[in-house]
Amino acid sequence: MPEIGFIMLCLVILSAMVFDYINGFHDTANAIATCVSTRALSVKAAIVMAAGLNFAGAMASTKVASTIGQGIVQATHITQTVILAGILGAIVWNIITWYYRIPSSSSHAIIGGIIGAVIVHDGTGALIWRGIQKIVLSLILSPVFGVIVGFIFMVVIMWIFRNKAPFGLNKAFRHLQVLSAAFMAFAHGTADAQKSMGVITMALVSYKYLPTFDVPVWVKLTCAIAMGLGTAAGGWRIIKTVGKDFVKLQPVHGFCAETASAGVILGAASLGLPVSTTHVITSSILGIGLSKRITAVNWKVAYRILFASILTIPLSAIVSGMVYLLLNPFLGK
């Protein structure tokens, strides 16, 4: 009969795959909401494209995985139960926000989940505060950059094509938007699949399967496949919120939002900084809306997104802490 440690490791890996799958359909909207809402692509075609490029992006880098796996908690305080509770807490929060059509951050959820489980397990002294400050700062600043870059990019594009008729301009950008959506889908895979890679590798190091933190190829593949499959499952509930209810978009607006977002996300990923693709794309759309006029933004939706962004880390931390308390009597520390 397999030892309890190996069973726990398998549970962690399975849970991380489920998280990646949910992340895929939960965050599908990040890559394709704008091109669907502007009818540059059908829902089916957009989801298939996003799934393939999510997979490709997930295989591209592991810098963010290293930040998640080594920058939140001291290695000596990590156990399989802690990791499992952290993942389950993030999954619960993602399902809740998906059900209520709130585009919340899977990045915030997994970070909050790990933090909450660790605190209940061994107190705040187990946390790497410098690493957490760096991560939280990147999560806060990336939407700010999203608004600024989206606003400036939109203004520049409109100035360059100021003499073009709106119909002709949007017809041309409908084709270009397919490329920008592909760029965004690749960026989403690069940024988001790495969170699960980091968590699984953390568990492998804790189990002594790996001597040092180095993401194995099979971990990259399984996370990439799980996210790709989740993306293929779609996420129309959030697509509607991001692509239709927030700001009314034309193809030129979608192109600017996706290109600006992908640039911010890939720039952060190259530095190993975990950012929320959800918040970057929604903030870029906000910047696009503000470039038109303040009333172009549905501020009720904006407040819902802001509310979710503030609450995600603490609430996912609370949920994961409760999960840890439930699991610990049966699985041990």
Side-chain angles (χ1 to χ4, degrees):
M1 184 176 178
E3 61 166 336
I4 185 65
F6 179 74
I7 294 173
M8 286 295 297
L9 177 63
C10 292
L11 286 174
V12 167
I13 294 172
L14 179 61
S15 299
M17 295 300 96
V18 172
F19 174 79
D20 248 349
Y21 180 86
I22 292 173
N23 192 348
F25 77 71
H26 185 274
D27 289 359
T28 300
N30 300 334
I32 66 175
T34 54
C35 68
V36 170
S37 67
T38 60
R39 299 181 182 177
L41 285 173
S42 67
V43 175
K44 184 177 180 180
I47 287 175
V48 170
M49 178 197 72
L53 288 166
N54 268 193
F55 177 87
M59 296 296 294
S61 173
T62 58
K63 287 186 177 181
V64 174
S66 296
T67 300
I68 295 295
Q70 301 180 98
I72 299 176
V73 186
Q74 296 176 36
T76 53
H77 296 268
I78 283 292
T79 69
Q80 304 298 323
T81 307
V82 166
I83 300 171
L84 181 61
I87 298 170
L88 293 177
I91 288 173
V92 170
W93 179 253
N94 270 356
I95 291 173
I96 291 171
T97 52
W98 170 82
Y99 181 80
Y100 288 104
R101 303 180 183 181
I102 302 171
S104 69
S105 168
S106 295
S107 304
H108 286 59
I110 192 65
I111 290 166
I114 295 295
I115 289 174
V118 168
I119 290 175
V120 174
H121 168 66
D122 223 2
T124 56
L127 300 174
I128 302 174
W129 289 106
R130 181 177 296 180
I132 292 173
Q133 288 171 359
K134 174 184 173 182
I135 290 169
V136 171
L137 188 63
S138 69
L139 291 172
I140 292 172
L141 291 180
S142 54
V144 176
F145 279 105
V147 172
I148 294 171
V149 175
F151 180 90
I152 293 174
F153 196 26
M154 187 73 245
V155 170
V156 170
I157 290 292
M158 294 309 294
W159 184 84
I160 292 173
F161 296 100
R162 62 190 181 280
N163 295 322
K164 285 279 187 181
F167 177 80
L169 180 65
N170 282 309
K171 185 177 180 181
F173 271 95
R174 182 170 280 111
H175 300 294
L176 288 173
Q177 199 188 351
V178 176
L179 295 177
S180 66
F183 186 32
M184 179 63 196
F186 180 85
H188 174 229
T190 301
D192 277 30
Q194 289 194 55
K195 278 95 177 185
S196 291
M197 292 181 198
V199 169
I200 292 174
T201 307
M202 185 194 303
L204 292 172
V205 172
S206 174
Y207 184 67
K208 304 295 191 294
Y209 177 85
L210 294 175
T212 58
F213 191 96
D214 186 22
V215 182
V217 174
W218 67 265
V219 172
K220 295 180 189 178
L221 282 170
T222 51
C223 290
I225 291 169
M227 175 159 286
L229 291 174
T231 301
W236 178 249
R237 299 177 74 87
I238 293 177
I239 289 173
K240 182 178 183 296
T241 299
V242 175
K244 293 188 173 183
D245 296 342
F246 190 20
V247 176
K248 301 300 181 185
L249 300 173
Q250 297 296 324
V252 63
H253 305 135
F255 171 82
C256 290
E258 290 160 351
T259 305
S261 302
V264 171
I265 292 164
L266 289 176
S270 68
L271 299 173
L273 298 175
V275 299
S276 166
T277 54
T278 303
H279 293 157
V280 174
I281 186 65
T282 50
S283 63
S284 295
I285 293 173
L286 175 60
I288 302 302
L290 291 175
S291 74
K292 297 162 69 177
R293 60 188 182 280
I294 292 178
T295 54
V297 179
N298 185 336
W299 290 103
K300 289 183 179 179
V301 175
Y303 293 145
R304 283 174 60 201
I305 294 170
L306 177 62
F307 188 65
S309 70
I310 294 171
L311 291 181
T312 292
I313 288 181
L315 286 184
S316 58
I318 291 170
V319 172
S320 66
M322 293 170 63
V323 171
Y324 177 84
L325 291 173
L326 289 173
L327 293 178
N328 194 52
F330 302 100
L331 301 176
K333 296 187 177 184

Coordinates of all heavy atoms in Angstrom, one line a residue, residues 211-248:
P211 N 15.8 17.5 -5.4 CA 16.7 18.1 -4.4 C 16.7 19.6 -4.4 O 16.9 20.2 -3.3 CB 18.1 17.6 -4.9 CG 17.9 17.4 -6.4 CD 16.4 16.9 -6.6
T212 N 16.4 20.2 -5.5 CA 16.3 21.7 -5.6 C 15.0 22.1 -6.4 O 14.4 21.2 -7.1 CB 17.5 22.3 -6.3 OG1 17.6 21.7 -7.6 CG2 18.8 22.0 -5.5
F213 N 14.7 23.3 -6.4 CA 13.5 23.8 -7.1 C 13.8 24.0 -8.5 O 14.5 25.0 -9.0 CB 13.0 25.2 -6.5 CG 11.7 25.6 -7.0 CD1 10.5 25.3 -6.3 CD2 11.5 26.2 -8.2 CE1 9.3 25.7 -6.7 CE2 10.3 26.6 -8.7 CZ 9.2 26.3 -8.0
D214 N 13.4 23.0 -9.3 CA 13.6 23.0 -10.8 C 12.4 22.4 -11.4 O 12.2 21.2 -11.3 CB 14.9 22.3 -11.2 CG 15.3 22.4 -12.6 OD1 14.8 23.4 -13.2 OD2 16.0 21.6 -13.1
V215 N 11.6 23.1 -12.2 CA 10.4 22.6 -12.7 C 10.6 21.5 -13.8 O 11.2 21.8 -14.8 CB 9.5 23.7 -13.4 CG1 8.2 23.2 -13.9 CG2 9.3 24.9 -12.4
P216 N 10.2 20.3 -13.5 CA 10.4 19.2 -14.5 C 9.6 19.4 -15.8 O 8.5 20.1 -15.7 CB 9.9 17.9 -13.8 CG 9.9 18.3 -12.3 CD 9.6 19.8 -12.3
V217 N 10.0 18.8 -16.9 CA 9.3 18.9 -18.1 C 7.9 18.4 -18.0 O 6.9 18.9 -18.5 CB 10.1 18.2 -19.3 CG1 9.2 18.2 -20.6 CG2 11.4 18.9 -19.5
W218 N 7.7 17.2 -17.3 CA 6.4 16.6 -17.2 C 5.4 17.5 -16.4 O 4.2 17.5 -16.7 CB 6.5 15.2 -16.6 CG 6.9 15.1 -15.1 CD1 8.1 14.9 -14.7 CD2 6.0 15.2 -14.0 NE1 8.1 14.9 -13.3 CE2 6.8 15.1 -12.8 CE3 4.7 15.4 -13.8 CZ2 6.3 15.1 -11.5 CZ3 4.1 15.5 -12.5 CH2 5.0 15.3 -11.4
V219 N 5.9 18.3 -15.5 CA 5.1 19.2 -14.8 C 4.6 20.4 -15.7 O 3.4 20.7 -15.7 CB 5.8 19.8 -13.6 CG1 5.0 21.0 -12.9 CG2 6.1 18.8 -12.5
K220 N 5.5 20.9 -16.5 CA 5.2 21.9 -17.5 C 4.1 21.3 -18.5 O 3.1 22.0 -18.7 CB 6.4 22.3 -18.4 CG 7.5 23.0 -17.6 CD 8.6 23.3 -18.6 CE 9.8 23.8 -17.9 NZ 10.9 24.1 -18.9
L221 N 4.3 20.1 -18.9 CA 3.3 19.5 -19.9 C 1.9 19.3 -19.2 O 0.9 19.7 -19.8 CB 3.8 18.2 -20.4 CG 4.9 18.3 -21.5 CD1 5.5 16.9 -21.7 CD2 4.3 18.8 -22.8
T222 N 1.9 18.8 -18.0 CA 0.6 18.5 -17.4 C -0.2 19.8 -17.1 O -1.4 19.9 -17.3 CB 0.8 17.7 -16.1 OG1 1.7 18.3 -15.3 CG2 1.2 16.3 -16.4
C223 N 0.6 20.8 -16.6 CA -0.1 22.1 -16.3 C -0.6 22.8 -17.6 O -1.7 23.3 -17.7 CB 0.9 23.0 -15.6 SG 1.2 22.6 -13.9
A224 N 0.2 22.7 -18.7 CA -0.1 23.3 -20.0 C -1.4 22.6 -20.5 O -2.3 23.2 -21.0 CB 1.0 23.2 -21.0
I225 N -1.4 21.2 -20.4 CA -2.5 20.5 -21.0 C -3.8 20.8 -20.2 O -4.9 21.0 -20.7 CB -2.2 19.0 -20.9 CG1 -1.2 18.6 -22.0 CG2 -3.5 18.1 -21.2 CD1 -0.6 17.2 -21.8
A226 N -3.7 20.8 -18.8 CA -4.8 21.1 -18.0 C -5.4 22.5 -18.3 O -6.7 22.6 -18.4 CB -4.5 21.0 -16.5
M227 N -4.6 23.5 -18.4 CA -5.1 24.8 -18.7 C -5.7 24.9 -20.1 O -6.7 25.5 -20.3 CB -3.9 25.8 -18.6 CG -4.4 27.2 -19.0 SD -3.4 28.6 -18.4 CE -3.9 28.6 -16.7
G228 N -5.0 24.2 -21.1 CA -5.6 24.2 -22.4 C -7.0 23.5 -22.5 O -7.9 24.0 -23.1
L229 N -7.1 22.4 -21.8 CA -8.4 21.7 -21.7 C -9.5 22.6 -21.0 O -10.6 22.7 -21.4 CB -8.3 20.4 -21.0 CG -7.5 19.3 -21.7 CD1 -7.3 18.1 -20.8 CD2 -8.2 18.9 -23.0
G230 N -9.1 23.3 -19.9 CA -10.0 24.2 -19.2 C -10.4 25.3 -20.1 O -11.6 25.7 -20.1
T231 N -9.5 25.9 -20.9 CA -9.8 27.0 -21.8 C -10.8 26.5 -22.9 O -11.8 27.2 -23.2 CB -8.5 27.5 -22.5 OG1 -7.7 28.0 -21.4 CG2 -8.9 28.6 -23.4
A232 N -10.6 25.2 -23.4 CA -11.4 24.7 -24.4 C -12.9 24.5 -23.9 O -13.8 24.5 -24.6 CB -10.9 23.4 -24.9
A233 N -13.0 24.3 -22.5 CA -14.3 24.2 -22.0 C -15.1 25.5 -22.0 O -16.3 25.5 -21.8 CB -14.2 23.6 -20.5
G234 N -14.4 26.6 -22.1 CA -15.1 27.9 -22.3 C -15.4 28.5 -20.9 O -15.3 27.9 -19.9
G235 N -15.9 29.8 -21.0 CA -16.2 30.5 -19.8 C -17.1 31.7 -20.2 O -16.8 32.8 -19.9
W236 N -18.3 31.4 -20.8 CA -19.1 32.4 -21.3 C -19.7 33.4 -20.2 O -19.9 34.5 -20.5 CB -20.3 31.8 -22.1 CG -21.3 32.9 -22.6 CD1 -22.5 33.1 -22.1 CD2 -21.0 33.8 -23.6 NE1 -23.1 34.1 -22.8 CE2 -22.2 34.6 -23.7 CE3 -19.9 34.2 -24.4 CZ2 -22.3 35.7 -24.6 CZ3 -20.0 35.2 -25.2 CH2 -21.1 36.0 -25.4
R237 N -19.8 32.9 -19.0 CA -20.4 33.7 -17.9 C -19.5 34.9 -17.7 O -20.0 36.0 -17.6 CB -20.5 32.9 -16.6 CG -21.4 31.7 -16.7 CD -21.4 30.9 -15.4 NE -22.1 31.5 -14.4 CZ -23.4 31.4 -14.2 NH1 -24.1 30.6 -15.0 NH2 -24.0 32.0 -13.2
I238 N -18.2 34.7 -17.7 CA -17.3 35.9 -17.4 C -17.0 36.6 -18.7 O -16.8 37.8 -18.7 CB -16.0 35.4 -16.7 CG1 -16.4 34.9 -15.3 CG2 -15.0 36.5 -16.6 CD1 -15.2 34.4 -14.5
I239 N -17.0 35.9 -19.9 CA -16.9 36.6 -21.2 C -17.9 37.7 -21.3 O -17.6 38.8 -21.8 CB -17.0 35.6 -22.3 CG1 -15.8 34.6 -22.3 CG2 -17.1 36.3 -23.7 CD1 -15.9 33.5 -23.3
K240 N -19.1 37.4 -20.9 CA -20.2 38.4 -21.1 C -19.9 39.7 -20.2 O -20.0 40.8 -20.6 CB -21.5 37.8 -20.7 CG -22.7 38.8 -20.8 CD -24.0 38.1 -20.5 CE -25.2 39.1 -20.7 NZ -25.2 40.2 -19.8
T241 N -19.4 39.4 -19.0 CA -19.1 40.5 -18.1 C -18.0 41.4 -18.6 O -18.1 42.6 -18.6 CB -18.7 40.0 -16.7 OG1 -19.8 39.3 -16.1 CG2 -18.4 41.2 -15.7
V242 N -16.9 40.7 -19.0 CA -15.7 41.5 -19.5 C -15.9 42.1 -20.8 O -15.6 43.3 -21.1 CB -14.5 40.6 -19.5 CG1 -13.3 41.3 -20.1 CG2 -14.1 40.1 -18.1
G243 N -16.5 41.3 -21.8 CA -16.6 41.8 -23.2 C -17.8 42.6 -23.5 O -17.8 43.3 -24.5
K244 N -18.9 42.5 -22.7 CA -20.1 43.2 -23.1 C -20.6 44.2 -22.1 O -21.1 45.3 -22.4 CB -21.2 42.2 -23.5 CG -20.9 41.4 -24.7 CD -22.1 40.5 -25.1 CE -21.8 39.9 -26.5 NZ -23.0 39.1 -26.9
D245 N -20.6 43.8 -20.8 CA -21.2 44.6 -19.8 C -20.3 45.8 -19.3 O -20.8 46.8 -18.7 CB -21.6 43.7 -18.6 CG -22.6 42.7 -18.9 OD1 -23.3 42.9 -20.0 OD2 -22.7 41.7 -18.2
F246 N -19.0 45.6 -19.4 CA -18.1 46.6 -18.8 C -17.9 47.8 -19.6 O -18.2 49.0 -19.2 CB -16.7 45.9 -18.6 CG -15.7 46.7 -17.8 CD1 -16.1 47.7 -16.9 CD2 -14.4 46.4 -17.9 CE1 -15.2 48.4 -16.1 CE2 -13.4 47.1 -17.1 CZ -13.9 48.1 -16.2
V247 N -17.5 47.7 -20.9 CA -17.3 48.8 -21.8 C -17.8 48.3 -23.2 O -17.4 47.2 -23.6 CB -15.9 49.3 -21.9 CG1 -15.7 50.4 -22.9 CG2 -15.4 49.8 -20.5
K248 N -18.6 49.1 -23.9 CA -19.0 48.7 -25.2 C -17.8 48.8 -26.2 O -17.2 49.9 -26.3 CB -20.2 49.5 -25.7 CG -21.4 49.5 -24.8 CD -21.9 48.0 -24.7 CE -23.2 48.0 -23.8 NZ -23.7 46.6 -23.6

